[in-house]
Amino acid sequence: MFNNVKLSSFLASRSMIKGNKSTQLLIIFIMSLIFVNLVFIGSIFLGVTEATNKQVINSLYSNVVIEPKKDEKYISDVYSLEQKIRAVPGVVGISAQYVTSATLSYKDKHGAWAVRSINPDDEMKVSTNHNFLIAGEYLSRLDDNEILLGKEISGGYGGDLDYSSLGVKVGDSIDVLFDNGVKRSFKVKGIFDANFIQTNTMAYISQKEMESIVGLEDKASQILVKTRDNGNEDRYIKQFLEMGIKEKIKPWTVYAGMVKNITNSFDMIAMMITAIGLFVAVITIFIIVYTSTISKRKQIGILRAVGIEESVIIQSYIFQALFFVICGIFIGLIIIFFAIKPWFIEHPLKFPIGLASLMILPEKVSMNAISLIIAAFAAGFIPSWMAVRKTIIDTIWGD
Amino acid sequence: MTDVTGPILEIKELSRIYGMGDVKVKALNKVSFGIKRGEFAAIMGKSGSGKSTLLHQLGLLDAPTSGEIIFGGKNISGLPESRKAKFRLSKFGYVFQEYALLPELTALENVYLPAMALGRKKEEYIKAGTEVLEQVGLGTRLHHRPREMSGGEQQRVAIARALINRPEILFADEPTANLDSASTKQILELFKELNKETALTILMVTHEPDDMNYVSKVIWLKDGELAERGA
């Protein structure tokens, strides 16, 4: 089938050189749009997924979460446990936290939210929330009666849940009733917007303050562990278990249930749109090649009559289809990397789960390009194969 | 007259029946004859007598319903399409009534296309293409496209294309039907010269009685059957 490539490419090149340039440019433009569409859809969903995953890691759970043993409410001997974990190469931060629910109230407004206690110095090593203050200051280790609120709790900063917020500003005093019955007043020290609705519905107080509320020391509800790299959590967990840590150890992905559903749906949508895009490409190329074989039917017959093999003729049409697609891919890559990607870096899309930009993976781009090339191959082959199936007499002189 | 050394083509009981449902049309009915190597023969007959159908069978452009086409001692009528294509490329030359050139190619490119298909080297097929175009008197029209040439010139390009692979037999299907008398004469003179100087076997379909003056043999067809032999 692939013999005499030289002759096929000669016929294809001559046909294109003498072909209608406007039509060819239009075909290439359509192919480039199809390719851009394939890459864009996959990349934007991947970007949203990536942004979501980053948010879960950077603002909620870090990479690895250590929880109390079965039937225990708190992790004990936190300090010594922290020392052990810190010794593992690749661990870059540890934050032991108490996590409790509490009712926060201000004037006549109140609501139940999660309150985490943190050692701010440790927390800064496992989360990026300190970078997202929109008012006031971050907590410090020795803060008493000061609280940090997500913007969905404070209100006033365009949150999605503003209607249920307290409507407080930095400096206002709010009452907090903890689930163990302890009630205290806190001054709002800062308000943050982590661009992630789940984080923005949380409040933070200092570890020292929380210990006085729960009446415990050297304990924690959870320990968040930040590792140098993402995606190797299982390796770290294995190391922690080998060190004899008996607490429950889980990767962040376990806590990303809702997010996982969303990303799975995105993957499905992206796959469907990709399939539709490829189908459109196949149909477009098919119509182009089919029209060409109809208009050049007699020439196909002449070629066969002088002894040119059918496979050479088929190949010449496949080469033309591949030429259009490869040019389309090339132009598409220019559009993607020199126009769309820079624009999205400057203007990321704002989702409740965070800011999302395009995530263009070379392997995905290659896969899209290969898919389109295969589609072009099939769409170039079928009509030309149909054309050479007729007898030479019918091809040259038929109706 | 060229020396006639032996049979190159033998046709035995060749029939071609076109079928359209229950209606069968016998375009050729048990036609048998032979063409000797180096002969310049004409197939003549009235319109609808089966001349072109016969040439299509002999040139392997169509498959007969029955009968044999013996070329070089072998029956080639039942060969698979890929083998037939090789025959058309290397052993046969074919000239159509309506020039049948590829409009996007220059005269030279049209001519060297079969040589390319045969796998000859670039410098070789360009040289051969140039020589054969010079042979048909178009040495100055190498890079012209078909639409830039007259009908007679286009037909000579088609002849050059048919000759480039040095075929053993040249089939011509009413090659002068669309040409004026001057061009017709040029083409027929060219055939005669080729036959004389290169001993090329030529089998030409024509309905022009004047063409008989150029050929050494006439095969008459009437209603798909052989009517008369010899010139």
Side-chain angles (χ1 to χ4, degrees):
Chain A
M1 167 110 194
F2 284 97
N3 60 340
N4 233 332
V5 171
K6 193 175 148 190
L7 183 59
S8 305
S9 50
F10 172 78
L11 290 171
S13 67
R14 287 300 180 279
S15 177
M16 285 184 292
I17 287 166
K18 294 303 292 176
N20 185 311
K21 296 289 177 293
S22 310
T23 309
Q24 289 172 353
L25 285 173
L26 185 66
I27 294 165
I28 290 170
F29 180 63
I30 292 169
M31 291 302 124
S32 67
L33 289 185
I34 289 170
F35 181 68
V36 166
N37 181 54
L38 291 179
V39 175
F40 177 77
I41 294 295
S43 300
I44 195 68
F45 284 135
L46 211 57
V48 172
T49 304
E50 180 66 9
T52 309
N53 291 344
K54 271 189 179 167
Q55 287 287 26
V56 172
I57 293 170
N58 292 336
S59 73
L60 276 178
Y61 295 107
S62 201
N63 296 94
V64 177
V65 181
I66 299 174
E67 289 183 339
K69 293 171 197 161
K70 197 181 174 189
D71 301 327
E72 289 186 13
K73 192 175 179 186
Y74 297 106
I75 301 166
S76 302
D77 298 322
V78 169
Y79 181 73
S80 88
L81 190 57
E82 283 181 331
Q83 295 305 312
K84 275 189 193 174
I85 296 167
R86 222 181 288 279
V88 174
V91 171
V92 293
I94 299 168
S95 177
Q97 305 177 339
Y98 286 100
V99 183
T100 183
S101 64
T103 303
L104 281 66
S105 49
Y106 176 71
K107 293 181 180 170
D108 59 338
K109 290 187 173 178
H110 59 85
W113 285 282
V115 178
R116 282 187 185 187
S117 69
I118 54 168
N119 177 333
D121 296 335
D122 291 342
E123 183 69 9
M124 282 188 211
K125 289 177 185 163
V126 300
S127 109
T128 55
N129 292 342
H130 57 282
N131 295 325
F132 295 101
L133 281 174
I134 50 176
E137 293 172 33
Y138 197 63
L139 290 176
S140 61
R141 199 163 68 85
L142 299 174
D143 278 344
D144 277 330
N145 303 108
E146 291 195 293
I147 193 164
L148 197 64
L149 299 178
K151 75 170 186 181
E152 301 293 356
I153 301 175
S154 70
Y157 292 95
D160 295 326
L161 307 172
D162 233 22
Y163 62 90
S164 62
S165 66
L166 295 176
V168 295
K169 294 190 284 293
V170 170
D172 288 341
S173 183
I174 64 169
D175 292 328
V176 180
L177 174 62
F178 292 91
D179 63 355
N180 62 356
V182 175
K183 185 176 183 180
R184 286 197 187 168
S185 290
F186 287 86
K187 195 173 95 176
V188 178
K189 188 176 184 184
I191 297 168
F192 63 87
D193 176 9
N195 292 314
F196 191 33
I197 198 161
Q198 280 180 283
T199 310
N200 290 344
T201 51
M202 287 180 29
Y204 289 89
I205 61 172
S206 72
Q207 188 81 334
K208 183 171 153 276
E209 182 80 38
M210 187 66 100
E211 283 181 342
S212 73
I213 291 163
V214 295
L216 298 168
E217 263 189 56
D218 200 22
K219 291 189 183 293
S221 305
Q222 63 183 24
I223 298 172
L224 307 185
V225 181
K226 178 80 180 163
T227 59
R228 189 180 294 130
D229 45 350
N230 295 336
N232 287 319
E233 286 79 10
D234 289 342
R235 183 167 61 81
Y236 288 100
I237 290 170
K238 193 178 168 210
Q239 280 183 276
F240 297 158
L241 291 170
E242 284 170 357
M243 289 163 68
I245 295 172
K246 303 290 183 207
E247 277 74 12
K248 289 188 234 168
I249 310 172
K250 297 172 182 173
W252 65 272
T253 47
V254 171
Y255 300 89
M258 182 198 82
V259 171
K260 204 173 178 182
N261 286 340
I262 294 171
T263 53
N264 284 347
S265 302
F266 281 168
D267 287 347
M268 183 63 76
I269 295 166
M271 206 167 73
M272 286 166 67
I273 295 176
T274 301
I276 291 167
L278 283 174
F279 186 68
V280 170
V282 168
I283 296 294
T284 308
I285 299 167
F286 183 93
I287 291 169
I288 292 160
V289 177
Y290 183 73
T291 311
S292 178
T293 57
I294 294 291
S295 66
K296 292 184 176 175
R297 192 186 63 180
K298 191 172 176 182
Q299 291 179 39
I300 291 171
I302 293 163
L303 286 169
R304 291 174 65 198
V306 298
I308 308 294
E309 285 184 33
E310 294 168 6
S311 61
V312 171
I313 297 165
I314 293 171
Q315 278 177 58
S316 76
Y317 282 97
I318 291 173
F319 286 162
Q320 289 179 59
L322 290 177
F323 172 80
F324 291 134
V325 160
I326 289 167
C327 287
I329 289 170
F330 184 72
I331 292 169
L333 286 173
I334 292 171
I335 294 171
I336 290 161
F337 286 106
F338 293 97
I340 295 176
K341 191 181 176 187
W343 193 88
F344 271 92
I345 289 171
E346 288 294 314
H347 308 91
L349 297 174
K350 198 171 182 187
F351 287 94
I353 47 176
L355 294 175
S357 188
L358 291 185
M359 187 170 179
I360 301 173
L361 298 178
E363 61 268 30
K364 291 270 182 188
V365 175
S366 307
M367 190 56 75
N368 285 324
I370 291 167
S371 304
L372 204 52
I373 286 169
I374 292 170
F377 188 93
F381 172 79
I382 295 166
S384 51
W385 175 76
M386 284 162 62
V388 299
R389 278 185 71 203
K390 293 179 181 172
T391 66
I392 296 173
I393 303 298
D394 282 345
T395 313
I396 300 178
W397 293 285
D399 294 328
Chain B
M1 180 66 62
T2 313
D3 285 345
V4 175
T5 55
I8 188 168
L9 195 65
E10 277 185 271
I11 292 92
K12 291 182 180 172
E13 302 274 298
L14 199 72
S15 295
R16 180 64 169 106
I17 301 168
Y18 294 108
M20 292 175 69
D22 293 336
V23 183
K24 305 283 183 193
V25 179
K26 277 190 178 177
L28 289 174
N29 188 22
K30 295 185 178 178
V31 176
S32 300
F33 66 90
I35 299 290
K36 289 178 182 169
R37 196 174 291 275
E39 248 181 351
F40 182 7
I43 301 172
M44 298 190 77
K46 287 181 181 173
S47 182
S49 61
K51 306 186 292 292
S52 291
T53 303
L54 176 60
L55 204 72
H56 296 158
Q57 315 306 307
L58 303 182
L60 301 179
L61 303 184
D62 193 16
T65 308
S66 64
E68 293 180 353
I69 301 166
I70 314 290
F71 179 82
K74 287 180 186 170
N75 181 9
I76 58 169
S77 61
L79 291 175
E81 179 49 37
S82 60
R83 293 282 308 280
K84 284 184 178 175
K86 284 218 160 50
F87 253 93
R88 291 195 295 268
L89 186 67
S90 57
K91 307 280 186 194
F92 297 169
Y94 209 103
V95 178
F96 297 90
Q97 180 179 330
E98 57 278 89
Y99 325 139
L101 300 176
L102 301 185
E104 61 260 37
L105 303 186
T106 63
L108 181 61
E109 288 168 341
N110 264 292
V111 170
Y112 68 54
L113 198 65
M116 266 184 98
L118 209 56
R120 289 162 79 174
K121 289 180 184 169
K122 188 176 181 181
E123 55 273 22
E124 224 178 280
Y125 62 68
I126 289 176
K127 187 169 178 273
T130 307
E131 281 174 3
V132 79
L133 274 168
E134 282 168 354
Q135 190 183 354
V136 299
L138 292 173
T140 56
R141 309 282 273 164
L142 300 180
H143 303 294
H144 287 75
R145 293 187 196 284
R147 63 181 154 76
E148 298 163 342
M149 292 187 279
S150 68
E153 286 173 326
Q154 289 186 52
Q155 194 60 297
R156 279 188 279 158
V157 173
I159 293 166
R161 180 180 62 191
L163 295 175
I164 191 164
N165 285 342
R166 300 186 182 283
E168 293 186 33
I169 186 163
L170 179 71
F171 297 103
D173 187 3
E174 302 204 41
T176 59
N178 294 339
L179 302 179
D180 57 41
S181 56
S183 298
T184 298
K185 195 172 177 222
Q186 274 183 337
I187 298 294
L188 292 172
E189 290 290 349
L190 178 64
F191 279 169
K192 195 170 178 181
E193 192 182 312
L194 285 167
N195 174 252
K196 192 176 175 185
E197 291 183 1
T198 65
L200 177 66
T201 309
I202 301 174
L203 190 55
M204 175 177 73
V205 165
T206 181
H207 61 269
E208 287 292 335
D210 290 351
D211 294 354
M212 282 196 291
N213 298 327
Y214 293 89
V215 301
S216 56
K217 178 178 181 176
V218 175
I219 297 152
W220 290 95
L221 281 183
K222 187 181 177 187
D223 299 331
E225 293 183 1
L226 220 53
E228 189 181 330
R229 257 183 205 215

